[in-house]
Amino acid sequence: MSTFNSYDDEGRVCSVLLHLQHACEMLLKAVLVQNRVKVFDEENGKSISFDRALHLCRQDHGLTEAEAGTMRMIDALRDAEQHWFTVVEEDVLYLQTRALVTVFDMYLKRALDLDLSSRIPARVLPVSTKPPGDFDFLVDREYRLIGELLKPGKRKRDEARARIRALLAMEGLAAEEVQISEKDINRIEKAIKAGSEMGEVFPRLNTIASTIEGDGPAITVHFSKKEGPPVKFVAGDDPQAAAAVRQVDLQKKFHMGATELAKVLKLSLPRALALRRYLKIDDDPSCHHRFEFGSSKHDRFSDNARNKMKAALEEGIDMDKVWKEHGPGVQKKQPAKMADAPA
């Protein structure tokens, strides 16, 4: 917070994002340690990644999807700012920082029974001479400004691309898989130059809303999801319309094998298969994906599959009936063959 309130602008945004991301990672790992979850990889002896810690806390230790989204956004912004050239306006940084402080404090209280405000004086929490703006307004303003910077003769293309990079990082609020590639930057730059609307270029950002409560140092900011336009997914090198959002890392999304999925649900592998069949998990593209490497085929499952199956178990589904009707030994009914027509 002392970095956020510093009078020195040199490297300030990068430093703030580095500190915020690191604070999130340490909080997540502290929660895991307190719940006796290993935070060091036994094979290489290194600490698990931020993404892995976020996933474990989201899966088993009470971190909500909205809270995880705010942390993902800060992580993506930190990565973009640290490794590229990114422009984050002051009021946007303020909104993001206040949102992260809000999320940090809520999860700290809930998971570790600690209170942030009792350990840090209120005067050092982020303050700004600019009032916090509405998320939609700030994003629309950034989009219009990028369009102005890309106009012929402006010679501001580098700054425009830096602002595009920051907006892409903010998609972490709505998506688990956020990676920023130069192909995406090129695609969006081309679409903006062609006059595409903001909702067509950044459909995920259209699904985010912000709620601001309180005033002064007691301001809290919450990000939440709202209904937005349909989003389609395309391959990372597909040059088609900007409204298509890249499914950049399918292996990250579909990260569980059948054995791991069964273990998480505390089911045997055969009974998990029966439940998958009953819920049609393998037919749902948001739950299941088959990776093919030459002649090898590997079925992998996403958190959507786990959540859908877990919800069914918690609602008291009759697993004996599911096993009887969908167990591995049960043959699928084949449609009756038509009798041969008489000669």
Side-chain angles (χ1 to χ4, degrees), residues 332-343:
K332 292 184 178 180
K333 292 182 179 180
Q334 299 294 332
K337 292 183 178 180
M338 296 181 63
D340 291 337

Side-chain angles (χ1 to χ4, degrees), residues 218-230:
I219 286 177
T220 61
V221 176
H222 298 270
F223 288 120
S224 59
K225 289 188 178 182
K226 61 183 180 181
E227 291 298 320

Side-chain angles (χ1 to χ4, degrees), residues 70-82:
T70 302
M71 292 184 181
R72 277 196 302 265
M73 174 191 65
I74 293 298
D75 181 57
L77 278 168
R78 185 275 315 164
D79 185 72
E81 176 66 26
Q82 187 175 3

Side-chain angles (χ1 to χ4, degrees), residues 153-170:
K154 288 285 188 177
R155 297 186 178 181
K156 295 287 187 179
R157 182 169 178 257
D158 286 342
E159 181 181 344
R161 290 171 67 85
R163 292 176 181 272
I164 290 172
R165 200 169 282 116
L167 288 181
L168 278 171
M170 292 168 69

Side-chain angles (χ1 to χ4, degrees), residues 70-128:
T70 302
M71 292 184 181
R72 277 196 302 265
M73 174 191 65
I74 293 298
D75 181 57
L77 278 168
R78 185 275 315 164
D79 185 72
E81 176 66 26
Q82 187 175 3
H83 298 105
W84 298 90
F85 169 45
T86 309
V87 174
V88 183
E89 286 290 341
E90 182 62 30
D91 47 4
V92 176
L93 179 67
Y94 177 58
L95 188 71
Q96 294 163 341
T97 304
R98 285 296 334 191
L100 193 281
V101 171
T102 301
V103 163
F104 190 100
D105 190 36
M106 290 175 63
Y107 191 51
L108 184 72
K109 290 176 182 175
R110 199 166 63 249
L112 298 178
D113 197 26
L114 297 174
D115 189 278
L116 184 63
S117 61
S118 67
R119 287 162 173 77
I120 302 178
R123 68 178 182 275
V124 304
L125 292 179
V127 294
S128 175

